[in-house]
Amino acid sequence: MRVADIPSERLNLLNSGQAESTTLTECLAVDFAALMRATFPGIGQERLSAMQAASGAGITRRMALAAKLIHDAYPQGMVAALREHKSDTLRGWACYLIAEQEDMPLRTRLMSMRCLADDAHFGVREWAWLAVRPYIAADLDDAISELSVWALDPSERIRRFASEAIRPRGVWCAHLTPLRQHPEQALPVLEPLRADPAVYVQDSVGNWLNDASKDQPGWVQSLCDRWQQENGTPATARICKRALRSIAKKKQT
C-alpha cells in the first residue's frame, strides 16, 4: 500500500491521535504538525510551523524535532501522558522525550524507556532503542552491562531490545565503531541469546552478527562454530545461518 492509498477517513484518525497505525506505510503517512495541533492545542503557532516546515525531513529527524518542541513548550514533561496514548506515534514521541531529558543516568534512562521497549506496537519498540542509542554509544561499557540483564528478561521484546540497541551498524542510526572493531565486547548481551526461543530475538542476534561479519568475519565465523558445537539447537542454527549470510554470499562470488 502507498500513502496515497490510505483512505482519508483513516488518515484523519491517525492525524488526530485517535487510531494506531497498522503498517509502516501508515506510520510514515502521519502528519506530525496535524497530530501535534490535535494533541497540544496550546503549543503555539511558531512550534507548529517549525514542525510543518520539517515535513519533508526523514522520520527519525521529525520524531526528535517533535519531542524537542514539546519539551520546550512543556518543560515539566509529557512522558507520562504520552506513554499510554492510543496513538503509536505519540508513544514514539514519548521515547524521544525521554531522550530529551538532560543529566539522566543511563540506567534511569533505560528504565524510563522500558515499558516503551516492551510496547505491543512494532513501531514504538523501534523508536525506543533508536531514541536512546546516542546515550548507549556515549556510555557503551555501562550500556552493555545494563543490557546483559535485559538479555535475560522474560519478555522477548526486552531481550530483542538488548540486542538491537547495540547492533554495530544498525538501521536508521549511526554505527557503533567500537563494536565494529571489537564485537567481542558485546558477548555479555549476545551469549544469553544464542539459543533464544523467540524468532523475533533470533533475527536480531543474527542481524547483529551479520553486521559484525562485514568488519570481523573471522570472529563471527569462530563464534558461530563454537555456538553450534555447544548448542545443537534449531534456534542456534537459525541464528548462525542468518549471521553468516554475508560471509556465505562472499564465498559464492
Side-chain angles (χ1 to χ4, degrees):
M1 175 186 284
R2 302 170 302 163
V3 171
D5 296 327
I6 301 174
S8 59
E9 296 85 356
R10 175 67 179 164
L11 201 54
N12 288 337
L13 289 173
L14 294 170
N15 289 339
S16 61
Q18 298 179 65
E20 189 173 75
S21 67
T22 57
T23 65
L24 178 58
T25 301
E26 287 191 347
C27 288
L28 297 174
V30 175
D31 182 330
F32 279 24
L35 181 58
M36 185 173 287
R37 182 182 295 108
T39 310
F40 302 101
I43 200 167
Q45 187 56 49
E46 184 178 350
R47 292 186 177 91
L48 291 172
S49 295
M51 194 74 258
Q52 185 62 52
S55 61
I59 190 166
T60 52
R61 181 182 165 193
R62 287 185 287 126
M63 293 293 290
L65 175 60
K68 184 180 187 308
L69 294 171
I70 295 166
H71 179 70
D72 289 348
Y74 305 97
Q76 286 77 22
M78 283 289 174
V79 173
L82 297 183
R83 179 183 271 149
E84 305 295 333
H85 203 282
K86 179 185 295 184
S87 165
D88 57 287
T89 302
L90 291 175
R91 299 201 302 279
W93 290 0
C95 296
Y96 280 87
L97 278 169
I98 291 170
E100 277 290 316
Q101 308 301 311
E102 297 181 0
D103 302 323
M104 181 182 285
L106 180 62
R107 173 178 289 182
T108 304
R109 199 177 299 276
L110 286 170
M111 291 310 299
S112 295
M113 195 70 76
R114 193 185 189 287
C115 69
L116 295 159
D118 202 24
D119 196 275
H121 192 275
F122 65 93
V124 178
R125 297 194 297 272
E126 298 305 307
W127 298 130
W129 73 260
L130 280 165
V132 80
R133 185 167 162 106
Y135 298 98
I136 287 173
D139 199 358
L140 191 56
D141 288 344
D142 282 351
I144 289 171
S145 178
E146 294 291 337
L147 293 174
S148 67
V149 178
W150 287 41
L152 301 172
D153 197 89
S155 168
E156 66 182 62
R157 298 166 182 166
I158 296 297
R159 299 197 306 275
R160 190 258 190 180
F161 178 99
S163 168
E164 201 70 16
I166 57 168
R167 276 180 59 180
R169 291 174 177 252
V171 181
W172 291 359
C173 60
H175 292 181
L176 294 178
T177 300
L179 292 182
R180 288 182 59 180
Q181 296 172 344
H182 299 286
E184 68 276 6
Q185 293 179 45
L187 284 175
V189 173
L190 298 175
E191 288 282 3
L193 304 176
R194 62 183 177 172
D196 198 281
V199 169
Y200 190 49
V201 181
Q202 293 168 21
D203 285 350
S204 181
V205 177
N207 289 340
W208 199 109
L209 293 171
N210 187 62
D211 280 359
S213 76
K214 295 170 185 177
D215 296 294
Q216 307 294 339
W219 180 83
V220 172
Q221 183 69 66
S222 295
L223 181 68
C224 287
D225 289 346
R226 176 171 68 81
W227 278 7
Q228 292 188 94
Q229 289 172 3
E230 296 174 354
N231 295 274
T233 65
T236 302
R238 187 176 184 278
I239 288 170
C240 291
K241 181 178 180 180
R242 194 173 189 89
L244 297 170
R245 66 186 186 274
S246 290
I247 293 175
K249 185 176 181 180
K250 192 171 183 178
K251 287 178 179 178
Q252 293 171 359
T253 59

